[in-house]
Amino acid sequence: MDLLLTEDENRKRIRKVENSFGPSGMPLSIPGRVLIGEGKLRKQGRKKQELKAFFLFNDVLVYGSVIMNGRWYKKQKVIPLEDVEIEDLENSESMQHQWLISTPRKSFFVSATTGLEKQAWMEHIRDCRSRVLEDKDVKPSANYAMSWIPDKAAQKCMRCLKKFSYINRKHHCRKCGFVVCNECSRKREFIKYINSNHEVRICKVCYEIDEDDKDKDSSRQRGDSSGMHSSKEEEEEEEGAMSSDEEQIQTSSSWLDTKTGTWGRLSAICS
C-alpha cells in the first residue's frame, strides 16, 4: 500500500511539472521515471544571472525560465543525465555557492542559496547519473560545450582587443567561449555535439587551429567556409534582469527521501 501511495504521488508530481510548462513543453511522464528533487537556482546567462526552475529526475535534468510568480515555466530544456558533467567551483564576488553544469550542447554556471543546498544538488545529480550509467550500461558523453565568459567580463574583443561599442557588438565563440567582435567571429563550423544541423559561430583563432589540424590529415575534404549559415537558436542570447517576483520565490529546494518515499524541503529535512 505504501508503495502504491508513493507511485501515485510521483505521478501527480510529474504531471504537475509537465503542466507547468504548458503545451510547449515535452512530455515527462514515462514508465520508471521518478522526480527526485526540484528547486530554484540562479543561472549565469550571457548578460545577467537569471532565476531558473530545475527538476531532477532519476534519468534527466529539466530546467526552464520562471514566469507568473513561479507557477509557470517556459523554454524547457531536457538533458539526459549521461550527458551531464558537474564541477565544483569556489565562491566569487558575483556568484556564491556555484558549480558548473556541462553538457554537449551548452555548459553554464548555476548557484544555490546556501552551501548546503548546493551540496545537496551536486550529490543528487552525481548519484542519479551514476545509476543511469550503471543501469543503462551507457557511456558518458565524450564532448562538452565550452562555458561562455559573461559579457560584463570583457570590455574589449578577446582576440583583436578592439573596444566594444553600440556598433561593435559582443559575440561568443562556441568553441572557446571567448567574448569576441563580429569581425573576429565571421567563420561558421559544424560542431556536431553542439548542433548537428547547423553551423555555429567560432572565432578566427579557433578556425585557424582547426584548419591547421585539417592540414595534417591528407584525406580530408574541404568544405564551404563562407560563414553564411548559422543556427538561429544558437544565435539567440539570454537577456533580461531578474524581477522582484523572482527574488521572492527563490526558496529552499525540495527532495524525495527514497527510503521513506516522503517529500520535504531541504531546510526542514536538515533542521
Side-chain angles (χ1 to χ4, degrees):
M1 181 62 71
D2 290 340
L3 179 60
L4 291 175
L5 290 173
T6 301
E7 291 177 348
D8 185 56
E9 176 68 14
N10 177 63
R11 284 194 293 269
K12 289 180 179 179
R13 286 181 173 273
I14 293 179
R15 282 199 296 269
K16 183 178 179 181
V17 175
E18 240 177 10
N19 294 335
S20 67
F21 280 99
S24 62
M26 291 177 57
L28 298 172
S29 300
I30 64 172
R33 177 167 287 171
V34 179
L35 180 60
I36 303 296
E38 58 185 42
K40 307 295 191 305
L41 300 172
R42 295 178 188 270
K43 176 178 175 291
Q44 177 64 58
R46 174 184 172 179
K47 295 182 179 296
K48 297 178 177 67
Q49 295 177 22
E50 297 178 301
L51 198 65
K52 301 285 185 178
F54 279 80
F55 304 91
L56 177 63
F57 296 84
N58 61 325
D59 61 337
V60 294
L61 179 65
V62 178
Y63 72 92
S65 300
V66 179
I67 58 175
M68 295 293 290
N69 199 27
R71 292 190 295 270
W72 300 98
Y73 312 112
K74 62 179 181 178
K75 297 181 180 179
Q76 184 196 67
K77 300 291 187 299
V78 180
I79 311 170
L81 287 181
E82 60 265 30
D83 289 341
V84 173
E85 183 70 50
I86 59 174
E87 179 184 347
D88 196 1
L89 299 172
E90 295 182 358
N91 291 337
S92 67
E93 292 183 3
S94 59
M95 289 186 76
Q96 302 288 311
H97 317 303
Q98 62 177 329
W99 70 97
L100 174 65
I101 297 179
S102 297
T103 77
R105 190 174 180 85
K106 190 173 187 180
S107 299
F108 50 90
F109 301 98
V110 294
S111 65
T113 306
T114 66
L116 187 63
E117 188 169 15
K118 165 189 170 179
Q119 182 181 2
W121 271 99
M122 293 186 67
E123 288 179 352
H124 280 90
I125 291 174
R126 282 173 173 158
D127 181 61
C128 290
R129 181 177 182 270
S130 64
R131 292 177 184 273
V132 166
L133 294 177
E134 181 179 352
D135 295 343
K136 291 185 177 182
D137 192 26
V138 295
K139 294 183 178 180
S141 177
N143 298 291
Y144 295 97
M146 184 65 68
S147 57
W148 289 6
I149 295 175
D151 279 8
K152 62 182 180 182
Q155 301 306 313
K156 298 179 180 179
C157 173
M158 300 178 76
R159 292 307 185 192
C160 70
L161 302 182
K162 289 181 181 179
K163 286 188 177 181
F164 290 117
S165 64
Y166 181 77
I167 298 176
N168 190 33
R169 297 179 57 195
K170 299 178 180 180
H171 302 277
H172 278 86
C173 172
R174 270 53 174 180
K175 207 151 202 179
C176 65
F178 277 21
V179 185
V180 291
C181 67
N182 185 62
E183 188 66 28
C184 289
S185 59
R186 290 184 178 276
K187 301 298 183 181
R188 300 292 187 274
E189 184 176 287
F190 280 107
I191 305 178
K192 188 175 182 179
Y193 57 89
I194 294 179
N195 193 318
S196 59
N197 298 317
H198 300 281
E199 295 175 321
V200 296
R201 181 189 297 268
I202 64 170
C203 71
K204 61 181 182 181
V205 173
C206 288
Y207 179 80
E208 290 168 0
I209 292 174
D210 289 345
E211 287 300 295
D212 289 340
D213 290 339
K214 290 176 183 178
D215 287 338
K216 297 175 184 178
D217 182 5
S218 59
S219 64
R220 69 177 175 85
Q221 295 181 352
R222 292 186 180 273
D224 177 26
S225 60
S226 62
M228 295 300 292
H229 303 286
S230 63
S231 165
K232 181 179 179 181
E233 180 181 352
E234 290 297 326
E235 293 298 321
E236 290 180 350
E237 315 295 355
E238 295 179 341
E239 298 183 16
M242 193 178 306
S243 68
S244 57
D245 283 344
E246 289 178 328
E247 290 282 2
Q248 295 173 5
I249 60 178
Q250 187 172 11
T251 57
S252 180
S253 302
S254 298
W255 298 100
L256 170 68
D257 186 327
T258 54
K259 293 182 179 179
T260 63
T262 58
W263 275 78
R265 290 202 177 278
L266 180 66
S267 56
I269 295 174
C270 298
S271 61

